[in-house]
Amino acid sequence: MSRVIHPIEEESYRRLRARLDTSHLPPLTRAVVERVVHCAADLDYATDLVMDEGDLEKAHAALHAGAPVVVDVEMVGAGITRRETVCRLGDAVAGPGLTRSAHGIRLAHEQVGPGALWVIGNAPTALEELLTLDAAPALVIGLPVGFVGAVESKAALRESGLPAVSNVSEKGGSAVASAALNALLYHPTSHPEEKL
């Protein structure tokens, strides 16, 4: 994918790299860390994020081969500007023991099947629901935010063994979740040494 990088973004990354040394990180991990830190202006994400370079390489290949991208809320999808996303929250209904967010994930799974990239930045219950499904994801970006269930759902994601990007703390949100996906989307397929 070819994209024009605005001078403000270039300067922002220059300042980020002056304050945070990411040169020791593998290419895709570095791309995700830098884009999330850039998006949130929060250097603490550098030590809060958890991911595996091998998982990112496979997810990067799947994404660029056209794997579907599923989001838990439209706000996450709005942040992914160069790729269509699937969001079924608008069709979902809450029920006994099932939040609307969880039902949206269920509906999306029925639609896309295995091999999708899942980007969850809002509801811990959406991530919890995904973990109950046989989704066989290419990657789960699990960065829901909140004081109730967020830490626990992300810990469960890491314990699941699924290929994932998560973080340890309560923070997260739609913007950082879409930023993590965009890092993979914007990262070149033929010149991995490129930094933006």
Short mmCIF file of all heavy atoms in Angstrom, two decimals, residues 3 15 33 41 69 72 88 113 129 133 143 149 162 170 177 190-191 193:
data_model
loop_
_atom_site.label_atom_id
_atom_site.label_comp_id
_atom_site.label_asym_id
_atom_site.label_seq_id
_atom_site.Cartn_x
_atom_site.Cartn_y
_atom_site.Cartn_z
N ARG A 3 1.07 5.26 0.56
CA ARG A 3 0.33 6.37 1.14
C ARG A 3 1.26 7.54 1.34
O ARG A 3 2.47 7.38 1.53
CB ARG A 3 -0.36 5.98 2.45
CG ARG A 3 0.56 5.76 3.62
CD ARG A 3 -0.24 5.33 4.85
NE ARG A 3 0.62 5.33 6.00
CZ ARG A 3 0.68 6.29 6.92
NH1 ARG A 3 -0.13 7.32 6.83
NH2 ARG A 3 1.50 6.22 7.93
N ARG A 15 9.82 13.22 16.94
CA ARG A 15 9.80 13.56 18.38
C ARG A 15 9.58 12.34 19.24
O ARG A 15 10.18 12.20 20.30
CB ARG A 15 8.71 14.60 18.64
CG ARG A 15 9.02 15.95 18.03
CD ARG A 15 7.98 16.98 18.38
NE ARG A 15 8.22 18.22 17.65
CZ ARG A 15 7.60 19.37 17.91
NH1 ARG A 15 6.70 19.44 18.88
NH2 ARG A 15 7.86 20.44 17.19
N VAL A 33 4.00 -0.70 18.28
CA VAL A 33 4.30 0.11 19.46
C VAL A 33 4.32 1.59 19.10
O VAL A 33 3.68 2.42 19.76
CB VAL A 33 5.63 -0.32 20.11
CG1 VAL A 33 6.11 0.70 21.14
CG2 VAL A 33 5.50 -1.70 20.75
N ALA A 41 -0.30 9.44 22.36
CA ALA A 41 0.70 10.33 22.99
C ALA A 41 1.01 9.82 24.39
O ALA A 41 1.10 10.59 25.35
CB ALA A 41 0.23 11.77 23.00
N VAL A 69 -11.45 -7.98 8.29
CA VAL A 69 -11.16 -7.27 9.52
C VAL A 69 -12.48 -7.03 10.23
O VAL A 69 -13.38 -6.39 9.67
CB VAL A 69 -10.44 -5.93 9.25
CG1 VAL A 69 -10.22 -5.16 10.56
CG2 VAL A 69 -9.11 -6.17 8.54
N ASP A 72 -15.28 -4.38 16.95
CA ASP A 72 -16.39 -4.51 17.91
C ASP A 72 -17.34 -3.34 17.85
O ASP A 72 -18.53 -3.49 18.13
CB ASP A 72 -15.87 -4.75 19.33
CG ASP A 72 -15.03 -3.61 19.91
OD1 ASP A 72 -14.37 -2.88 19.14
OD2 ASP A 72 -15.02 -3.45 21.16
N ARG A 88 -21.00 -5.79 13.46
CA ARG A 88 -22.39 -6.24 13.55
C ARG A 88 -23.09 -5.72 14.80
O ARG A 88 -24.18 -6.18 15.13
CB ARG A 88 -22.43 -7.77 13.50
CG ARG A 88 -21.92 -8.38 12.20
CD ARG A 88 -22.76 -8.00 10.99
NE ARG A 88 -24.16 -8.36 11.15
CZ ARG A 88 -24.66 -9.56 10.86
NH1 ARG A 88 -23.89 -10.50 10.36
NH2 ARG A 88 -25.94 -9.82 11.05
N GLY A 113 -16.44 -16.23 9.56
CA GLY A 113 -15.79 -17.52 9.75
C GLY A 113 -14.35 -17.38 10.21
O GLY A 113 -13.95 -16.35 10.75
N GLU A 129 -16.44 -12.83 24.63
CA GLU A 129 -17.26 -13.65 23.74
C GLU A 129 -16.41 -14.28 22.63
O GLU A 129 -16.57 -15.45 22.30
CB GLU A 129 -18.39 -12.82 23.13
CG GLU A 129 -19.31 -13.59 22.20
CD GLU A 129 -20.11 -14.69 22.89
OE1 GLU A 129 -20.28 -14.64 24.13
OE2 GLU A 129 -20.57 -15.61 22.19
N LEU A 133 -15.61 -18.59 21.13
CA LEU A 133 -15.93 -19.06 19.79
C LEU A 133 -14.73 -19.79 19.18
O LEU A 133 -13.59 -19.57 19.57
CB LEU A 133 -16.31 -17.87 18.90
CG LEU A 133 -17.49 -17.03 19.40
CD1 LEU A 133 -17.65 -15.79 18.52
CD2 LEU A 133 -18.76 -17.85 19.43
N LEU A 143 -7.72 -4.73 22.85
CA LEU A 143 -7.33 -3.55 23.62
C LEU A 143 -8.57 -2.83 24.19
O LEU A 143 -8.66 -1.61 24.13
CB LEU A 143 -6.51 -2.60 22.76
CG LEU A 143 -5.14 -3.13 22.31
CD1 LEU A 143 -4.54 -2.25 21.23
CD2 LEU A 143 -4.20 -3.26 23.49
N GLY A 149 -13.51 -5.54 33.93
CA GLY A 149 -13.35 -6.61 32.95
C GLY A 149 -12.26 -6.42 31.91
O GLY A 149 -11.89 -7.38 31.24
N LEU A 162 -4.02 -17.66 21.54
CA LEU A 162 -4.33 -17.11 20.21
C LEU A 162 -3.31 -16.04 19.84
O LEU A 162 -2.77 -15.36 20.71
CB LEU A 162 -5.73 -16.49 20.22
CG LEU A 162 -6.91 -17.44 20.41
CD1 LEU A 162 -8.21 -16.65 20.53
CD2 LEU A 162 -6.98 -18.44 19.27
N GLU A 170 -5.46 -1.25 32.36
CA GLU A 170 -6.87 -0.98 32.08
C GLU A 170 -7.07 -0.12 30.85
O GLU A 170 -8.16 -0.06 30.30
CB GLU A 170 -7.50 -0.26 33.28
CG GLU A 170 -7.51 -1.13 34.52
CD GLU A 170 -7.48 -0.35 35.81
OE1 GLU A 170 -6.89 0.75 35.85
OE2 GLU A 170 -8.05 -0.86 36.80
N ALA A 177 -6.76 0.64 19.42
CA ALA A 177 -7.01 -0.63 18.73
C ALA A 177 -6.90 -0.45 17.22
O ALA A 177 -6.25 -1.26 16.53
CB ALA A 177 -8.38 -1.18 19.12
N SER A 190 7.00 -5.25 0.93
CA SER A 190 8.23 -5.57 0.23
C SER A 190 9.48 -4.92 0.83
O SER A 190 10.58 -5.33 0.54
CB SER A 190 8.13 -5.16 -1.24
OG SER A 190 7.83 -3.80 -1.35
N HIS A 191 9.29 -3.89 1.67
CA HIS A 191 10.45 -3.19 2.26
C HIS A 191 10.24 -3.05 3.77
O HIS A 191 9.91 -1.99 4.26
CB HIS A 191 10.63 -1.80 1.65
CG HIS A 191 10.81 -1.85 0.17
ND1 HIS A 191 11.93 -2.36 -0.43
CD2 HIS A 191 9.99 -1.48 -0.85
CE1 HIS A 191 11.80 -2.29 -1.75
NE2 HIS A 191 10.64 -1.77 -2.02
N GLU A 193 12.05 -2.64 6.22
CA GLU A 193 12.88 -1.72 6.98
C GLU A 193 12.30 -0.31 7.05
O GLU A 193 12.73 0.52 7.82
CB GLU A 193 14.31 -1.66 6.44
CG GLU A 193 14.45 -1.03 5.06
CD GLU A 193 14.11 -1.99 3.90
OE1 GLU A 193 13.84 -3.17 4.14
OE2 GLU A 193 14.09 -1.53 2.75
#
